[in-house]
Amino acid sequence: MTKNLHLNHLSYSGYCNECNKTHSLPPDKAIPHCVELMKRLQAHCRIDFDISIDNANPKLTTQHLYSVSGGQMFGVLVCEDVNGNQIILKAFSSTHNGVWSVEGWVAHLADETKFMAIVNEGNTEIHPLTSYIQTLTKTSEEWNAKIIERKKISQKILSQLLELYEISNFKNQKRNISNAFNIKKGIPNGTGDCCAPKLLNYAAIHNLKPISIAEFYWGKESLSGLRKEGEFYSSCKDKCEPLLGFMLCGLNK
Ligand SMILES: [Zn+2]
Ligand SMILES: [Zn+2]
């Protein structure tokens, strides 16, 4: 199932602008826990495997990971609590089949209720505008103006959503995503939804010291062929790497 061939290429790191250096976490200790997690996913075909099948949520099966929507990233963070006990945290990326929180898995960075309220309110502006745009002659002056207006509303909604992502690090600093992101360019959609930011933020606010992290892909091979089930992957370059410098700060001096 698992081909642990390329593990020495795995990197979970980011450049910290405050320390002027790269902070990183090694994957070695998290790998066996990931392999255990893969076995459980394979055996139970659902992610709420801690509860009995009678109480299982049908939305939490892994079935949809083999449909057109494709697979998902999973991650494990090995931590130590203040007494030196080992604590194993696990996360799935983004939401699982539309479900935000599942017992036994670390929480999403944003609050679901607030997030959905912003999305729904945004839709009440966007949807009528889209309908109206469809009645206009393409490339007419008004059409152009309305397209720009809609783009501005989308950008406003996105920045409101980003405000919901509060990120803590290991120096007791707290930032929203825009301030934690270490490069000055547009923040990609879905930033903060990967496993690494979820896991590290949980550890930071629960006074746990991360020791090791690893992420793997589960489900149908991605269309690009770049992601295969049971394979490990580094944290992503475009969304996570610019956050990890801030997030890992305070761990290794
Ligand atoms: Zn990522
Ligand atoms: Zn730092």
Side-chain angles (χ1 to χ4, degrees), residues 193-197 215 234-241:
D193 292 341
C194 291
C195 298
E215 291 180 58
S234 298
S235 51
C236 64
K237 282 242 171 298
D238 55 336
K239 295 179 282 185
C240 288
E241 210 180 277

Side-chain angles (χ1 to χ4, degrees), residues 25-44:
L25 262 188
D28 47 327
K29 288 200 170 79
I31 298 283
H33 295 284
C34 284
V35 173
E36 269 315 299
L37 181 51
M38 289 181 208
K39 285 182 187 157
R40 299 186 81 184
L41 291 171
Q42 197 164 47
H44 299 278

Side-chain angles (χ1 to χ4, degrees), residues 16 18-19 23 171 245 249-250:
C16 173
E18 231 167 84
C19 304
H23 299 310
K171 270 186 5 193
C249 194

Side-chain angles (χ1 to χ4, degrees), residues 58-228:
K59 293 196 91 173
L60 297 180
T61 69
T62 54
Q63 204 180 342
H64 74 284
L65 301 181
Y66 299 91
S67 71
V68 275
S69 55
Q72 186 170 26
M73 291 297 294
F74 289 86
V76 167
L77 185 68
V78 179
C79 304
E80 252 174 29
D81 70 10
V82 284
N83 301 316
N85 301 312
Q86 190 174 265
I87 309 284
I88 310 297
L89 303 176
K90 60 184 186 297
F92 50 85
S93 63
S94 192
T95 63
H96 185 87
N97 204 11
V99 180
W100 282 56
S101 36
V102 180
E103 219 184 300
W105 300 80
V106 302
H108 200 280
L109 284 188
D111 179 90
E112 179 180 4
T113 312
K114 289 179 185 162
F115 191 98
M116 291 319 293
I118 293 171
V119 169
N120 291 333
E121 200 192 305
N123 283 339
T124 64
E125 286 186 79
I126 294 278
H127 287 167
L129 197 52
T130 301
S131 308
Y132 183 61
I133 288 170
Q134 281 161 353
T135 67
L136 300 171
T137 313
K138 258 190 191 171
T139 70
S140 68
E141 208 171 297
E142 197 188 1
W143 184 86
N144 280 327
K146 290 293 171 190
I147 291 284
I148 291 168
E149 188 184 330
R150 187 173 62 179
K151 203 174 171 188
K152 279 194 181 138
I153 297 172
S154 304
Q155 281 165 346
K156 182 191 75 184
I157 296 166
L158 281 178
S159 68
Q160 284 174 342
L161 292 176
L162 285 178
E163 287 294 315
L164 296 180
Y165 288 72
E166 199 176 52
I167 293 179
S168 295
N169 71 5
F170 299 92
K171 270 186 5 193
N172 289 320
Q173 293 171 317
K174 215 174 250 197
R175 288 185 188 171
N176 66 29
I177 252 184
S178 321
N179 295 327
F181 210 71
N182 77 355
I183 43 176
K184 295 275 166 279
K185 63 170 203 177
I187 297 172
N189 233 339
T191 299
D193 292 341
C194 291
C195 298
K198 283 183 172 187
L199 290 163
L200 291 168
N201 187 65
Y202 184 96
I205 61 181
H206 289 88
N207 214 9
L208 300 170
K209 184 186 177 219
I211 308 289
S212 174
I213 189 170
E215 291 180 58
F216 65 89
Y217 183 82
W218 200 250
K220 187 180 150 188
E221 185 174 327
S222 65
L223 286 178
S224 58
L226 289 175
R227 299 240 190 257
K228 292 186 171 69

